[in-house]
Amino acid sequence: MNPQPKDPHTVIVNLRDTEGTYTCDIKAGKHQMVADEPVPLGGDDLGAAPYQYLKAALGACTAMTLRMYAERKKWPVENVIVTLRHSRDAKKQSMFERDIKIVGELTDDQRERLLDIADRCPVHKTLSNGVTILSKLID
């Protein structure tokens, strides 16, 4: 039983028909994207790699969350720039490094509060809490 409503943001990923390619066409609502692997990994580098999209999701969610919070507080945030890196530690656990630059005339207390709020963005929460992935074959 699924207590949550159906996801209104369904994404469809389709591997291109070309034999031997990793290029995927992505449909996210009315938006079209392309994912691929870089040439050294056997791809054609026609789009961002999957981990780049994962980092982009975290970065975009962080920036949007900070903007929403600052708007509610009427704080003068002009821009938020998030730089992300992914690596694995010795135990092969994923680690994301997130550098956040907040542009605007803010006090040190406001900046620290925004750093705390960054950890409350929905994508950060999802990645931090782990997820369950249910897969099934369909016709």
Side-chain angles (χ1 to χ4, degrees):
M1 181 156 102
N2 185 358
Q4 297 294 326
K6 186 172 179 159
D7 181 2
H9 304 289
T10 298
V11 172
I12 299 170
V13 179
N14 184 34
L15 190 61
R16 285 194 179 164
D17 290 340
T18 307
E19 201 171 306
T21 185
Y22 299 119
T23 308
C24 293
D25 292 306
I26 303 168
K27 184 175 181 192
K30 65 180 180 178
H31 306 285
Q32 302 290 324
M33 298 177 280
V34 176
D36 202 351
E37 290 290 351
V39 173
L41 295 178
D44 295 319
D45 201 21
L46 297 177
Y51 268 97
Q52 289 175 307
Y53 278 116
L54 184 59
K55 289 181 279 189
L58 177 57
C61 188
T62 299
M64 291 173 187
T65 299
L66 295 182
R67 160 84 26 103
M68 286 177 199
Y69 187 84
E71 285 176 350
R72 280 198 303 272
K73 293 290 190 177
K74 299 190 180 346
W75 291 352
V77 171
E78 297 169 21
N79 196 1
V80 177
I81 302 161
V82 185
T83 303
L84 295 118
R85 291 171 302 284
H86 172 261
S87 60
R88 295 187 189 276
D89 64 16
K91 297 178 185 175
K92 303 222 186 246
Q93 288 290 104
S94 281
M95 179 175 59
F96 290 92
E97 292 179 74
R98 180 175 58 178
D99 297 335
I100 304 168
K101 179 177 182 174
I102 303 168
V103 180
E105 295 295 322
L106 299 166
T107 67
D108 289 343
D109 286 344
Q110 288 171 326
R111 297 175 81 71
E112 283 302 314
R113 180 66 180 144
L114 287 169
L115 180 61
D116 290 339
I117 294 299
D119 290 349
R120 295 188 181 150
C121 90
V123 173
H124 178 110
K125 287 178 168 181
T126 297
L127 292 172
S128 295
N129 293 328
V131 297
T132 299
I133 301 172
L134 304 173
S135 300
K136 65 181 176 186
L137 293 174
I138 61 172
D139 292 326

